[in-house]
Amino acid sequence: MPTKTNDYKRAYIWQLPIRIFHWVNALAITGLVATGFIIGDPPGIISNKEASGQFWFGYIREIHFICAYLLVAVMILRIYFAFKGNKYASWRVFFPFKKNGFKRMWHVIKYDIFLQNEQSSDSPVGAVGHNSVAAVSYLVMFFMALIMIATGFAMYKPNSTWFLPKMFGWVVNLVGGDLNVRMIHHFTTWTFILFAVVHVYLVFFHDWLEGFGETSAMVSGYKFVPTERVKNEEIELSEIKTINQDSLETKDVS
């Protein structure tokens, strides 16, 4: 009796800009969190140096601001690439809010918490790029990043002469004062920490269980994906394009 073997395809998923954005984001967020906690609760360092010779806290703030501007720059470039990148980088993958998308999300959640195997009688087609849960979590973190940027620049505004921080002065009045701005900035930071912990765990979890090269893919850009998944995804995309074309033709006629 012949043994059934899986047929895998080496697929190019993550383009070079996406991989650069990912690692620059990781570096910027790590720097922001580390320096942010020091700025929020600075240690009392006793030294016999002159005050003019001690500028360590200034360097901490400088690193924090550099990381913040890096994060903003990467976000802007990532939005641009959401319209110019390949289908795995497209903005469409971050909105899996259709019936099949919710079914996939529920399947991924049950799989990640060991309630279901990857293959079951009613399992939907697995993702080639981001799975549905990852896509939604990235969308949520995008809005968290907007909150961080708005509150961060609002706090920086009184000491800045540049136009960008000054654009966020209205945030203080919106949330009811400087203290509320700091509290929102602080608690939103913890969502990034929680996200990073879960993100790293799930990347290694999927890499270990599936063996698709989930971790190395963010370096090389390639994943090993079952050929059936790639074919099914191409069929789904073809159907979506057909539906969109039909809708446009209907509008033109009307």
Side-chain angles (χ1 to χ4, degrees), residues 27-43 56-68 148 185 189:
L27 179 67
I29 291 171
T30 302
L32 283 166
V33 171
T35 55
F37 279 118
I38 297 174
I39 293 170
D41 186 17
W56 68 270
F57 197 71
Y59 291 126
I60 294 293
R61 284 169 56 87
E62 186 177 18
I63 294 170
H64 194 76
F65 298 149
I66 290 172
C67 291
M148 290 296 284
H185 197 74
T189 300

Side-chain angles (χ1 to χ4, degrees), residues 4 37 74 94 105 111 127 148 162 218 224 251:
K4 183 181 178 181
F37 279 118
V74 168
F94 299 103
M105 270 190 261
Y111 176 58
M148 290 296 284
W162 200 33
M218 204 39 77
F224 290 94
K251 286 181 181 178

